Amino acid sequence: MSAQGIDIVRVVYPDLIGADRARDLLVDQLPAACGHGLAFCRAVYHTSPQGDVVPIAGGLEAGLPDITVRPDLATLAPLPWEPGVAWCLGDAHDPTTGGPAPESPRDLLRRVLAHTADLGLHPVVGPELEYYLCRPDPSTPGGWSPYAPEPGNVYSAGRRGDPDGHLVSALRQLRTLGIGATAGNHEFSAGQFEINLTHSAALDAADRAFLFKAAVKEIARTEGRLATFMAKPFNAEGGSGFHLHLSLVDGAGHNVFADDSAPDGLSGTARHAIAGILAHAPALAALHNPTVNSYKRFGPDSLAPWLIDWGPDNRSAMLRIPPERGDGTRLELRLGDAGANPYLAIASAVAALALGIRGKLDPPAPLDGYGYRTDLAPKLPGTLDAALDALTADTELTGLLGAGFTEPFLAYKRNEIARFQQYVTDWEFREYARLL
């Protein structure tokens, strides 16, 4: 690495909400870090976006004990926007047991994948993420507004909707980073972009989605801008989605969702997987739409799914079946927003489809035509509170995810709701102050 001019290694790992936590090491300290690990306070998993430590078992009341993070050198890569620095993922361990830290999102996904491996099946995932690029704007309450705010640049590329060439620059840097970025375009709303990532095995896909989000935010900072993956940052604009393309292969690498002789070209296994995702969709919402803000993305004609349905090549359905068949047969879960933790979103989706396969569930009839009709399908939870209730009630799903993860997650998110309910918003002042 020294021969490449690298003298700093950044060890990065995801916290409970999917934000990147890290430490920079001088490169000559890397062997020691691989041996004994890097000590972090376990309460990093219980820390809010504003830096407050949420009182969760294993954190404050336990005296703020450590976790140990060891570099995963297989993920080492130089950073194109920061010369002399490389990063790698880290794995979090509990030093008292030697096992994974209970809240570790990466290890949650590993546990779920061990279950599907026991079924002889191996998930392949293609992540799709949207984000907003924002420019400083002191005139707004949040201090930011959409970059290049001209309307109408839907599914475009070039300087018309991206006058400074952000997308081209980001694509080149992501290519150098080696996380499987393939293409990108301006999305529906002003300042909104989507960059596509390749399909791969589930853990690798989650790693790449996590690093992609961290990379895009760093690239934006080098431009003096803010990239945000929050679900709906602006009242006047649409939301940002996190769609997952999901398929399963057997031990020989054959796509088990494909069956040319079956209706719609979908195997019985695919139909069971569809049914599993639909059956557990209310609980999945808590992990795919994990913030108070998430539920402001939903609504009629928003192209964000708020009903529990599925349909062949139907973008108004929560679970779309793209038209490709054979090796390309897959499900597109359109439930999630871009603020979701990639590890938790993928782990929960894989767990749900595995439960459907194990239980041999059958799906209802597919959606015919444009969705968003409540007489055709049940509604998803409409608030984070309702989604957390659904996750708590879904003991089959939480049993597979494990209490070591679900209990801290639920406590953390309940605290988020409580803090929000006590906060006076700009809307309340504008609505009430002058006339009451």
Side-chain angles (χ1 to χ4, degrees), residues 101-195:
E103 297 95 338
S104 168
R106 203 174 186 221
D107 285 290
L108 171 67
L109 179 53
R110 286 187 173 117
R111 291 196 300 275
V112 171
L113 294 176
H115 178 77
T116 59
D118 287 343
L119 300 174
L121 300 172
H122 308 280
V124 175
V125 179
E128 285 185 2
L129 282 150
E130 298 168 342
Y131 64 94
Y132 275 91
L133 188 66
C134 309
R135 58 185 175 87
D137 186 350
S139 69
T140 66
W144 300 89
S145 60
Y147 156 76
E150 294 79 8
N153 294 309
V154 182
Y155 300 147
S156 65
R159 298 303 174 103
R160 187 180 72 206
D162 181 10
D164 294 341
H166 161 79
L167 183 61
V168 168
S169 175
L171 281 170
R172 286 173 174 154
Q173 293 182 77
L174 293 169
R175 176 187 60 196
T176 301
L177 192 60
I179 58 172
T182 60
N185 57 266
H186 191 288
E187 251 296 333
F188 197 90
S189 296
Q192 189 181 40
F193 296 88
E194 177 177 283
I195 293 177

Side-chain angles (χ1 to χ4, degrees), residues 382-402:
T383 64
L384 178 59
D385 197 28
L388 296 177
D389 287 344
L391 180 60
T392 301
D394 193 336
T395 54
E396 191 177 27
L397 183 66
T398 57
L400 186 49
L401 298 179

Side-chain angles (χ1 to χ4, degrees), residues 87-360:
W87 72 6
C88 69
L89 290 168
D91 281 317
H93 299 271
D94 182 340
T96 61
T97 67
E103 297 95 338
S104 168
R106 203 174 186 221
D107 285 290
L108 171 67
L109 179 53
R110 286 187 173 117
R111 291 196 300 275
V112 171
L113 294 176
H115 178 77
T116 59
D118 287 343
L119 300 174
L121 300 172
H122 308 280
V124 175
V125 179
E128 285 185 2
L129 282 150
E130 298 168 342
Y131 64 94
Y132 275 91
L133 188 66
C134 309
R135 58 185 175 87
D137 186 350
S139 69
T140 66
W144 300 89
S145 60
Y147 156 76
E150 294 79 8
N153 294 309
V154 182
Y155 300 147
S156 65
R159 298 303 174 103
R160 187 180 72 206
D162 181 10
D164 294 341
H166 161 79
L167 183 61
V168 168
S169 175
L171 281 170
R172 286 173 174 154
Q173 293 182 77
L174 293 169
R175 176 187 60 196
T176 301
L177 192 60
I179 58 172
T182 60
N185 57 266
H186 191 288
E187 251 296 333
F188 197 90
S189 296
Q192 189 181 40
F193 296 88
E194 177 177 283
I195 293 177
N196 303 122
L197 301 175
T198 56
H199 292 62
S200 68
L203 180 60
D204 179 71
D207 286 343
R208 292 185 298 106
F210 166 68
L211 292 173
F212 166 76
K213 292 177 72 172
V216 166
K217 288 182 278 190
E218 286 293 280
I219 290 167
R221 290 179 182 114
T222 68
E223 300 172 353
R225 301 188 176 101
L226 171 73
T228 182
F229 290 84
M230 71 180 287
K232 187 174 171 64
F234 302 107
N235 281 309
E237 304 290 351
S240 291
F242 180 11
H243 299 168
L244 294 176
H245 291 254
L246 302 159
S247 60
L248 288 173
V249 298
D250 59 21
H254 299 134
N255 187 326
V256 301
F257 285 172
D259 185 348
D260 292 340
S261 65
D264 297 316
L266 298 173
S267 69
T269 300
R271 296 181 66 83
H272 298 326
I274 290 167
I277 289 175
L278 297 180
H280 296 283
L284 292 180
L287 298 159
H288 290 246
N289 310 113
T291 68
V292 170
N293 176 257
S294 294
Y295 297 84
K296 297 175 182 179
R297 169 176 164 258
F298 293 131
D301 301 319
S302 64
L303 290 181
W306 54 285
L307 299 179
I308 302 170
D309 51 16
W310 74 284
D313 200 13
N314 192 327
R315 282 184 170 81
S316 65
M318 184 195 81
L319 190 62
R320 170 179 174 255
I321 314 301
E324 293 86 354
R325 291 296 179 265
D327 288 343
T329 307
R330 63 192 187 277
L331 320 178
E332 182 191 6
L333 180 57
R334 299 171 62 80
L335 170 63
D337 66 65
N341 182 330
Y343 295 98
L344 306 189
I346 292 173
S348 59
V350 169
L353 66 84
L355 290 170
I357 293 168
R358 190 175 69 186
K360 298 188 182 301

Side-chain angles (χ1 to χ4, degrees), residues 23-109:
R23 183 170 298 160
D24 284 346
L25 293 175
L26 290 166
V27 71
D28 60 356
Q29 298 300 307
L30 189 57
C34 292
H36 58 66
L38 304 170
F40 286 85
C41 179
R42 181 178 169 185
V44 71
Y45 288 122
H46 314 152
T47 301
S48 78
Q50 295 299 310
D52 301 312
V53 178
V54 177
I56 292 175
L60 279 172
E61 48 78 33
L64 300 171
D66 274 351
I67 57 171
T68 300
V69 177
R70 291 190 177 89
D72 179 354
L73 297 184
T75 63
L76 194 65
L79 300 184
W81 60 85
E82 201 163 353
V85 180
W87 72 6
C88 69
L89 290 168
D91 281 317
H93 299 271
D94 182 340
T96 61
T97 67
E103 297 95 338
S104 168
R106 203 174 186 221
D107 285 290
L108 171 67
L109 179 53

